[in-house]
Amino acid sequence: MGKKGKKEKKGRGAEKTAAKMEKKVSKRSRKEEEDLEALIAHFQTLDAKRTQTVEIPCSPPSPRLNASLSVHPEKDELILFGGEYFNGQKTFLYNELYVYNIRKDTWTKVDIPSPPPRRCAHQAVVVPQGGGQLWVFGGEFASPNGEQFYHYKDLWVLHLATKTWEQVKSTGGPSGRSGHRMVAWKRQLILFGGFHESTRDYIYYNDVYAFNLDTFTWSKLSPSGTGPTPRSGCQMSVTPQGGIVVYGGYSKQRVKKDVDKGTRHSDMFLLKPEDGREDKWVWTRMNPSGVKPTPRSGFSVAMAPNHQTLFFGGVCDEEEEESLSGEFFNDLYFYDATRNRWFEGQLKAVTNPVPTLPPLPGDSGLGETCPGHHCGDSGLGETCPGHQW
């Protein structure tokens, strides 16, 4: 009893500390976000001039980080949304929508009225309902100098059949954040982690939320067991058995004034309904066998037709008080949830560079890294000095 009581007391103390930190970050970031709201409103005014949907064949999109790249549920297409680009002097944010035809190797820019505000480091998930829907939550907007951030907590859905955007307003959802992860689980969206940062403060999350696709309502889950510590830029994928795997990611903490220490996580957890009940969840620590990836963040994640998880690239940063250096990766790993085992991928050269694969289930996005924020958007992982996604 004594040990259990002490453990519960310690847990409540950690929750209070996290709540205080979130309040502190929220207060200090409010002024920054108010400054950026005017700029966001200006861009939305420009978007409001768009009155009809226009599809234009085009060359590949311009370079960008932290966009989302999702697989169409019914067609051999990939859907690219949002992202950011830093040209060395100025940061640009996007809310453009592009469609890549896998078989034809062609790009199309799709301009749709009333899109979500410009953003990066959001999450996008595709579900098959209603001819296909692309759900987008959160992300951030950055000032042109890349030093101030506005974190979104809005939820949008792109109806793929009609090519229309709709903002879905529902209370009780996650706070504004970037670098979180979101997956489709049955008829729900399950969201985990992420971070919120102002000029001077930051906070990382390990909370879990569920959005019901039938009732359009949010609920905060309180899983039992010991789950992941707060982090962003992790792997989050659904297993064939109906569980949700969370692996790796990044977080940082302040060790002394103006000095932060980053942590690359390499642990894995399974989140699943307890006793088959969808209103009660439990975390379990996992120890997969096989050839595991080295610690890193900003990697890409995609689901293969055989329910294996593909894991590509990423970055390993070495942070000192006055310097930051990183090692980038282009290796490939597979995680087999059925066997709870990692495999190192070996690719063979192909004569036809354009893949002719059947549509892949699930979604993936672009997860780029820029020193400071590890976000990574389950897709291509790259890094640009400034934030670690």
Side-chain angles (χ1 to χ4, degrees):
M1 288 293 291
K3 288 185 178 180
K4 183 179 180 182
K6 185 182 290 186
K7 187 175 181 180
E8 290 178 348
K9 185 176 181 181
K10 183 179 179 181
R12 288 195 296 270
E15 290 178 2
K16 288 181 180 179
T17 300
K20 288 181 180 178
M21 177 58 74
E22 183 167 3
K23 187 175 182 181
K24 181 180 178 183
V25 172
S26 177
K27 185 176 181 181
R28 289 184 174 179
S29 65
R30 193 171 299 128
K31 180 61 170 63
E32 291 181 22
E33 298 199 336
E34 287 175 355
D35 293 340
L36 292 178
E37 282 176 352
L39 186 56
I40 294 171
H42 167 70
F43 285 127
Q44 286 186 285
T45 299
L46 297 179
D47 290 334
K49 296 179 181 179
R50 194 181 303 163
T51 58
Q52 59 183 0
T53 299
V54 179
E55 300 184 41
I56 307 171
C58 63
S59 56
S62 60
R64 63 196 61 200
L65 311 174
N66 304 314
S68 57
L69 186 65
S70 307
V71 180
H72 196 293
E74 298 180 352
K75 301 179 181 179
D76 293 330
E77 295 178 345
L78 303 178
I79 305 163
L80 176 71
F81 173 72
E84 65 174 324
Y85 174 68
F86 179 64
N87 66 1
Q89 296 180 325
K90 185 177 180 181
T91 298
F92 299 86
L93 275 294
Y94 304 107
N95 61 349
E96 300 169 327
L97 186 75
Y98 290 89
V99 174
Y100 174 69
N101 187 298
I102 298 173
R103 295 184 184 277
K104 296 180 180 179
D105 187 25
T106 58
W107 285 95
T108 302
K109 188 172 186 289
V110 185
D111 290 329
I112 300 175
S114 304
R118 303 174 186 215
R119 68 190 63 205
C120 65
H122 52 280
Q123 277 287 276
V125 170
V126 168
V127 297
Q129 284 94 311
Q133 298 172 341
L134 176 75
W135 288 85
V136 174
F137 176 83
E140 70 177 48
F141 180 89
S143 60
N145 63 10
E147 295 181 357
Q148 292 179 297
F149 308 97
Y150 181 95
H151 295 267
Y152 294 103
K153 58 178 180 181
D154 52 352
L155 180 67
W156 293 77
V157 58
L158 172 64
H159 300 280
L160 299 175
T162 59
K163 294 185 174 61
T164 54
W165 280 109
E166 175 188 358
Q167 183 176 5
V168 178
K169 297 182 178 181
S170 177
T171 60
S175 56
R177 62 189 65 194
S178 307
H180 49 288
R181 289 293 176 265
M182 187 168 72
V183 296
W185 184 85
K186 295 187 177 181
R187 296 186 68 84
Q188 298 184 78
L189 304 177
I190 306 296
L191 184 146
F192 168 79
F195 75 97
H196 184 289
E197 184 166 21
S198 64
T199 302
R200 293 193 296 167
D201 294 300
Y202 55 81
I203 182 171
Y204 283 79
Y205 300 103
N206 63 346
D207 47 5
V208 185
Y209 285 84
F211 181 78
N212 189 300
L213 293 170
D214 294 319
T215 62
F216 282 20
T217 55
W218 283 105
S219 60
K220 185 175 183 179
L221 306 183
S222 300
S224 59
T226 301
T229 55
R231 63 192 63 192
S232 69
C234 55
Q235 166 192 335
M236 189 177 185
S237 54
V238 179
T239 70
Q241 298 80 16
I244 298 173
V245 167
V246 171
Y247 167 77
Y250 174 87
S251 64
K252 63 181 180 180
Q253 60 182 6
R254 190 144 294 162
V255 293
K256 58 182 179 180
K257 186 177 180 180
D258 298 326
V259 178
D260 300 317
K261 181 181 179 181
T263 300
R264 297 178 303 277
H265 301 279
S266 58
D267 47 5
M268 179 178 282
F269 296 83
L270 178 67
L271 177 66
K272 64 179 182 179
E274 192 169 4
D275 300 325
R277 295 172 50 184
E278 295 187 12
D279 61 339
K280 193 174 182 181
W281 295 71
V282 58
W283 282 113
T284 304
R285 177 72 180 264
M286 300 182 70
N287 293 295
S289 59
V291 182
K292 304 175 185 178
T294 56
R296 64 189 71 186
S297 60
F299 45 79
S300 62
V301 175
M303 296 301 296
N306 59 3
H307 299 293
Q308 288 189 337
T309 302
L310 278 67
F311 174 108
F312 174 76
V315 62
C316 176
D317 283 340
E318 295 297 333
E319 299 175 76
E320 303 293 340
E321 289 191 14
E322 301 295 333
S323 65
L324 172 66
S325 61
E327 178 184 2
F328 292 86
F329 302 97
N330 64 350
D331 46 2
L332 178 69
Y333 290 85
F334 296 84
Y335 173 68
D336 189 322
T338 303
R339 291 186 278 179
N340 191 26
R341 184 179 179 88
W342 283 103
F343 296 91
E344 188 172 12
Q346 300 292 332
L347 298 182
K348 296 180 180 179
V350 294
T351 55
N352 179 12
V354 181
T356 55
L357 299 174
L360 304 183
D363 78 296
S364 60
L366 295 175
E368 283 78 348
T369 303
C370 27
H373 289 158
H374 281 245
C375 297
D377 235 43
S378 28
L380 298 175
E382 303 158 27
T383 301
C384 86
H387 294 99
Q388 201 96 2
W389 302 108

